[in-house]
Amino acid sequence: MKSSQSLIRRTFVIVAAWLFLFTSLGWGTTPMIAIIPQPVNMTVGEGVFTLAPDTVIVSREDTNDLAHYLKEVLASSTGYPLEIRKTQKDSHCIILSLNSDLEHLGTEGYLLKVTPDQVRLEAPRNEGIFYGIMTLWQLLPAEIFQQTRVEGITWQMPCVAIEDYPRFRWRGMHLDTARHFMPKEFVKKYIGLLALHKMNVFHWHLTEDQGWRIEIKKYPRLTEVGAWRKETLVGHILKKPRKFDRTRHGGFYSQADIREIVEYARRRYVTIVPEIEMPGHAQAAIAAYPELGNTGEQLEVWTTWGVNENIFNPNESTILFLQDVLSEVLELFPGEFIHIGGDEALKNQWEQSSQVQARIKELGLKDEHELQSYFIKRMDTFLRAKGRRLIGWDEILEGGLAPGATVMSWRGETGGIAAAQAGHDVVMAPMTHTYFDHYQGNPENEPPAIGGLLPLEKVYEFNPVPSGLTPEQARHILGAQGQVWTEYLPNPDKVEYMAFPRVCALAEVVWTPLEKKSYENFRQNRLPTHLQRLKILNVNYRPLD
Ligand code: ACM
């Protein structure tokens, strides 16, 4: 008798302790909330909203595409064929609604209110509705990201009220598809992952010494010849003796492929910034059309890495050739910005060419740097006449910046600071904090990379606004961007390993207000849950230390 009483008492104590633990730690009925990037303001309420087969999406005509997008996002894993209606009945529903009273949230902000009966997502523009959907997606169990139906899950999200908007308008990721060609399906996957992190710019590096990857109808040899190299260096460039793999490598995106990718990005509010490199990083194009070079030599598409001296000549015919290329680029890419490269253009061949020296005299220029500046200014004038804006790596400052140019600051912050002080817009992409081709940990334990060291925490701590700018100058910092160069990343798995989870950290750099950032909270409380989502999405992310 006595022992059964003590058993009951012991059981009672254990149950009470568990109940206390569950409720005080926010487990039990309230699922863990792990949104990346961290929203501006969030309050957590009582209870949950449970998604059911009869949940209705309420949307007027103006958010119809987004309602369909939401339906698709929720369909594969739940198997629920959610109905979309124009008006609200008294049913359990998710309401999408544009609301011009919310203009103070900016073009990309939104309000999301989850109560047990209803989810209400409001924004001044469609962009905000989209970002609200990205948040809503992350409020559900990680299995919602499964591409096939999952049984046995209660699809519930915690009751919350979220007010959210981004810190910067340029939230970018770059991908070099030229050093190694990346399949079209992977480019789409990468863009989808950017959107999930509320990133909105995909900087697509399309041309290089080692390969030209965009079909240009007027100049078919750019891809017939320029998209293929006969072999590739094996191992690191610094390793001697050099060995090659004797395997042809290449590929390109047809204009139909590009249209498909642009449409995929458009639906996810990602703008693609295509990059056509000039006057340097041009060997593949010169291999296709030797008259674009300075020596007349028949070059091959480059098979090794680094910076080489084969750059475009500055002749009028070459400028017109490149403007023809840009005309086709403009037809394909509707975004405001076009990237013209501009980095690492060695001037040896221009110095040694009597034709180029005559051109410098004829144009009344001082030197090769002013000639490069002249070259870029011609592109700036061309693009502005078509209603677009030129962006280039920070070398475009040398010899004088073109009037309409935006600078992408990669060799540290200095170029960005100079450009902002001169009243030009700037995207911060410094090697020190945003080069995701650098190692993430001790090289002895990492797959081969180009060099450097950029651990997750260093990405997280990056502040795109350099100190020392006046508030007026700081307004020229459009945002920041991560770079993924692919010399040592021959396939999508390797790209994903280098990009993730550093993209997750960068997303918070460019979205979350400075005072709301906390590496500790990101790394300990949210990233582990978020990585479950990436795992389900088959992202080969680098495991945490
Ligand atoms: C660059 O890394 N050459 C922009």
Side-chain angles (χ1 to χ4, degrees):
M1 189 70 187
K2 206 163 172 214
S3 77
S4 83
Q5 262 185 358
S6 85
L7 186 66
I8 290 168
R9 205 177 311 130
R10 266 218 320 265
T11 311
F12 176 80
V13 170
I14 290 168
V15 169
W18 271 109
L19 272 176
F20 171 76
L21 257 177
F22 265 85
T23 47
S24 64
L25 294 180
W27 300 344
T29 54
T30 314
M32 185 73 113
I33 300 177
I35 302 166
I36 291 179
Q38 178 81 329
V40 175
N41 284 308
M42 174 167 73
T43 52
V44 182
E46 288 286 312
V48 296
F49 175 93
T50 305
L51 198 66
D54 62 353
T55 302
V56 170
I57 299 173
V58 179
S59 161
R60 287 186 306 252
E61 195 57 37
D62 52 11
T63 50
N64 192 42
D65 282 353
L66 288 155
H68 281 274
Y69 186 77
L70 174 62
K71 180 184 160 111
E72 272 172 43
V73 154
L74 302 176
S76 0
S77 53
T78 64
Y80 300 163
L82 302 186
E83 190 191 338
I84 299 172
R85 279 198 215 139
K86 292 223 163 27
T87 53
Q88 182 182 359
K89 294 231 179 95
D90 50 2
S91 57
H92 200 62
C93 60
I94 303 175
I95 302 165
L96 309 185
S97 173
L98 290 179
N99 181 348
S100 56
D101 293 340
L102 299 176
E103 288 291 344
H104 61 278
L105 295 176
T107 52
E108 299 178 293
Y110 66 93
L111 291 181
L112 177 65
K113 191 156 173 46
V114 179
T115 61
D117 303 325
Q118 201 179 74
V119 176
R120 175 173 281 278
L121 171 52
E122 291 184 289
R125 312 270 176 96
N126 283 332
E127 283 86 337
I129 301 285
F130 180 80
Y131 294 125
I133 292 173
M134 293 303 98
T135 295
L136 186 157
W137 210 4
Q138 295 192 18
L139 285 169
L140 286 157
E143 290 81 359
I144 197 75
F145 290 90
Q146 205 72 253
Q147 289 309 295
T148 51
R149 186 153 179 187
V150 191
E151 303 290 346
I153 302 265
T154 309
W155 301 106
Q156 59 186 29
M157 48 184 130
C159 290
V160 287
I162 292 175
E163 177 191 47
D164 205 10
Y165 47 84
R167 181 173 169 208
F168 293 103
R169 63 169 269 205
W170 188 298
R171 304 182 299 280
M173 276 302 298
H174 151 285
L175 180 63
D176 171 7
T177 59
R179 265 53 177 268
H180 281 101
F181 178 71
M182 297 291 155
K184 174 178 77 178
E185 286 312 316
F186 174 65
V187 176
K188 285 160 67 174
K189 180 183 180 187
Y190 191 80
I191 291 168
L193 288 167
L194 301 192
L196 172 62
H197 293 84
K198 303 188 175 83
M199 308 284 277
N200 66 348
V201 175
F202 171 50
H203 172 170
W204 196 357
H205 191 74
L206 283 163
T207 72
E208 260 304 338
D209 299 307
Q210 295 87 355
W212 182 283
R213 307 273 175 241
I214 171 174
E215 179 191 25
I216 300 296
K217 304 264 192 209
K218 188 162 181 185
Y219 303 115
R221 286 176 60 82
L222 284 171
T223 44
E224 285 166 10
V225 174
W228 308 93
R229 62 176 180 258
K230 69 170 195 262
E231 58 188 1
T232 302
L233 183 75
V234 176
H236 200 275
I237 183 82
L238 298 177
K239 207 173 110 197
K240 300 276 162 52
R242 287 195 178 158
K243 278 210 322 221
F244 291 84
D245 66 1
R246 299 197 188 157
T247 307
R248 186 170 138 96
H249 174 85
F252 65 92
Y253 307 97
S254 70
Q255 295 201 350
D257 291 338
I258 290 172
R259 287 203 174 87
E260 185 183 323
I261 291 169
V262 167
E263 172 58 16
Y264 186 89
R266 185 197 66 77
R267 266 200 104 194
R268 289 158 182 78
Y269 294 84
V270 171
T271 303
I272 303 183
V273 176
E275 181 180 357
I276 306 296
E277 277 268 20
M278 60 188 85
H281 291 286
Q283 185 163 324
I286 300 169
Y289 294 98
E291 64 271 27
L292 300 173
N294 295 287
T295 65
E297 189 190 347
Q298 176 61 62
L299 300 168
E300 57 178 19
V301 177
W302 212 22
T303 56
T304 181
W305 317 123
V307 176
N308 83 53
E309 56 185 29
N310 293 302
I311 73 172
F312 288 125
N313 67 51
N315 300 346
E316 190 61 22
S317 55
T318 298
I319 288 174
L320 295 178
F321 177 102
L322 288 167
Q323 290 180 346
D324 283 346
V325 168
L326 289 180
S327 293
E328 292 194 31
V329 168
L330 298 183
E331 284 290 313
L332 293 167
F333 295 97
E336 185 182 15
F337 284 96
I338 303 293
H339 204 301
I340 53 70
D343 59 317
E344 301 177 319
L346 296 180
K347 304 295 186 302
N348 316 21
Q349 291 185 351
W350 283 5
E351 283 161 15
Q352 281 151 25
S353 156
S354 53
Q355 223 182 342
V356 174
Q357 291 305 313
R359 181 98 164 123
I360 289 175
K361 277 217 180 63
E362 169 203 321
L363 293 167
L365 303 172
K366 197 170 87 205
D367 58 16
E368 293 74 21
H369 295 293
E370 284 199 358
L371 183 58
Q372 161 151 327
S373 168
Y374 168 82
F375 199 117
I376 304 298
K377 281 176 184 156
R378 289 288 302 273
M379 300 302 157
D380 180 47
T381 309
F382 177 83
L383 290 172
R384 278 198 292 159
K386 312 252 179 212
R388 307 295 186 99
R389 294 175 67 185
L390 176 147
I391 183 164
W393 300 110
D394 57 52
E395 286 92 332
I396 65 171
L397 281 151
E398 294 162 7
L401 197 51
T406 295
V407 169
M408 191 168 268
S409 192
W410 74 279
R411 296 176 300 176
E413 294 179 327
T414 319
I417 293 170
Q421 286 172 342
H424 287 257
D425 284 344
V426 171
V427 173
M428 279 297 181
M431 252 196 300
T432 49
H433 292 80
T434 66
Y435 268 45
F436 295 176
D437 56 340
H438 290 184
Y439 283 107
Q440 305 182 68
N442 185 344
E444 281 176 21
N445 309 323
E446 294 290 326
I450 196 162
L453 178 64
L454 180 57
L456 186 64
E457 185 168 7
K458 190 166 180 194
V459 177
Y460 193 90
E461 297 306 339
F462 178 50
N463 183 358
V465 180
S467 53
L469 293 185
T470 65
E472 170 60 25
Q473 291 162 352
R475 271 196 285 280
H476 286 293
I477 308 293
L478 302 182
Q481 180 178 286
Q483 280 49 247
V484 184
W485 302 103
T486 57
E487 287 94 332
Y488 300 99
L489 310 177
N491 58 52
D493 264 6
K494 297 265 195 295
V495 168
E496 290 177 0
Y497 182 91
M498 296 307 266
F500 295 93
R502 290 188 285 198
V503 166
C504 313
L506 185 68
E508 209 139 309
V509 166
V510 288
W511 181 280
T512 305
L514 201 49
E515 65 279 9
K516 295 265 164 145
K517 278 174 68 192
S518 156
Y519 182 68
E520 175 75 10
N521 178 289
F522 167 77
R523 168 66 182 81
Q524 305 300 343
N525 299 359
R526 291 176 290 122
L527 192 54
T529 303
H530 191 69
L531 292 182
Q532 288 174 26
R533 299 174 188 133
L534 296 187
K535 191 175 170 87
I536 290 171
L537 288 166
N538 282 320
V539 178
N540 181 39
Y541 62 83
R542 180 191 184 271
L544 297 174
D545 288 321

